Amino acid sequence: QVQLQESGPGLVKASETLSLTCTVSGDSISSYYWTWIRQPPGKGLEWIGYVYYSGSTTYNPSLKSRVTISVDTSKNQFSLRLSSVTAADTAVYYCAASYWASPPSAWGQGTLVTVSS
Amino acid sequence: DIQMTQSPSSLSASVGDRVTITCRASQGISNNLAWFQQKPGRAPKSLIYATSSLQSGVPSKFSGSGSGTDFTLTISSLQPEDFATYYCLQYHVYPFTFGPGTNVDIK
């Protein structure tokens, strides 16, 4: 069973770049589409985008100009970079695993990232 | 983007009650609808995909139905561990979009 674990700074300054990594274990990184989802405190869920092991990506248009999702198959990791952050980007960020054209079936525990001014 | 709505936004129920949550899409999404359960401070847990298929390990008290734009999640007999927030997700087109959630709490 695939397992995921997010890691990265919990505090990022406004206008800087948020960077998170998700480490995958328990299954091949070529088996899934690797997804990032976020949840502002007390609010709902927002799908950010995904990367396939080949490097192909799809992003939410609302974030597309600022987001990059990449994969490192040698490390069994994939990453999220979100540039020019503001307080509105403060959220719990989840990494998740999906099959093609399917919803996430496995989730990491989530990591809170706070954007400070 | 496809907009998802849920009703009610919250409900109070008792142990043993049958609970139904509705999710509506702003356009047809075939059967590409999933349901998630989230407890405070925890990651969402996948319950149902393809409108009515249970994820492995999910008890049969959960069931889903619908097609097109209107979907429901039913919990047949609410238990203490079921008090949580429930989200629907359409994965018919990108970007995938979630409903705003339904909070189920104890009456």
Side-chain angles (χ1 to χ4, degrees):
Chain A
Q1 176 145 349
V2 65
Q3 296 180 319
L4 304 99
Q5 178 66 60
E6 304 89 350
S7 59
L11 189 63
V12 180
K13 293 182 179 179
S15 79
E16 296 188 346
T17 296
L18 177 160
S19 295
L20 295 174
T21 296
C22 184
T23 301
V24 176
S25 61
D27 207 337
S28 170
I29 201 158
S30 64
S31 300
Y32 297 90
Y33 287 73
W34 304 103
T35 302
W36 288 97
I37 292 162
R38 71 178 183 178
Q39 184 173 37
K43 297 188 178 180
L45 298 158
E46 180 180 30
W47 184 84
I48 298 172
Y50 77 75
V51 63
Y52 192 45
Y53 81 99
S54 63
S56 66
T57 55
T58 295
Y59 300 136
N60 192 322
S62 68
L63 298 169
K64 188 173 183 179
S65 64
R66 299 194 291 131
V67 69
T68 303
I69 301 175
S70 59
V71 62
D72 186 338
T73 56
S74 67
K75 295 182 179 179
N76 264 24
Q77 293 177 334
F78 63 105
S79 300
L80 169 71
R81 289 174 56 86
L82 183 66
S83 64
S84 304
V85 297
T86 69
D89 295 310
T90 293
V92 175
Y93 286 77
Y94 296 101
C95 59
S98 308
Y99 293 110
W100 165 244
S102 296
S105 56
W107 297 65
Q109 65 184 26
T111 187
L112 174 64
V113 179
T114 301
V115 178
S116 68
S117 54
Chain B
D1 298 4
I2 295 177
Q3 306 304 313
M4 306 299 292
T5 58
Q6 288 182 233
S7 61
S9 57
S10 65
L11 67 90
S12 295
S14 300
V15 172
D17 282 354
R18 180 183 180 90
V19 168
T20 297
I21 299 167
T22 297
C23 178
R24 176 166 290 173
S26 60
Q27 63 189 73
I29 59 170
S30 186
N31 70 332
N32 298 311
L33 191 284
W35 290 97
F36 299 86
Q37 175 194 68
Q38 187 178 35
K39 297 181 180 179
R42 305 290 298 273
K45 173 186 175 183
S46 302
L47 295 178
I48 287 174
Y49 64 97
T51 297
S52 59
S53 298
L54 291 181
Q55 288 283 359
S56 176
V58 173
S60 59
K61 62 182 172 180
F62 292 97
S63 63
S65 64
S67 68
T69 60
D70 295 316
F71 303 86
T72 61
L73 171 70
T74 300
I75 309 171
S76 61
S77 177
L78 204 64
Q79 297 303 304
E81 63 270 19
D82 302 327
F83 291 96
T85 300
Y86 292 84
Y87 294 93
C88 60
L89 166 73
Q90 71 79 19
Y91 56 97
H92 187 64
V93 298
Y94 293 112
F96 294 172
T97 46
F98 290 89
T102 294
N103 182 55
V104 178
D105 65 18
I106 301 173
K107 182 183 289 184

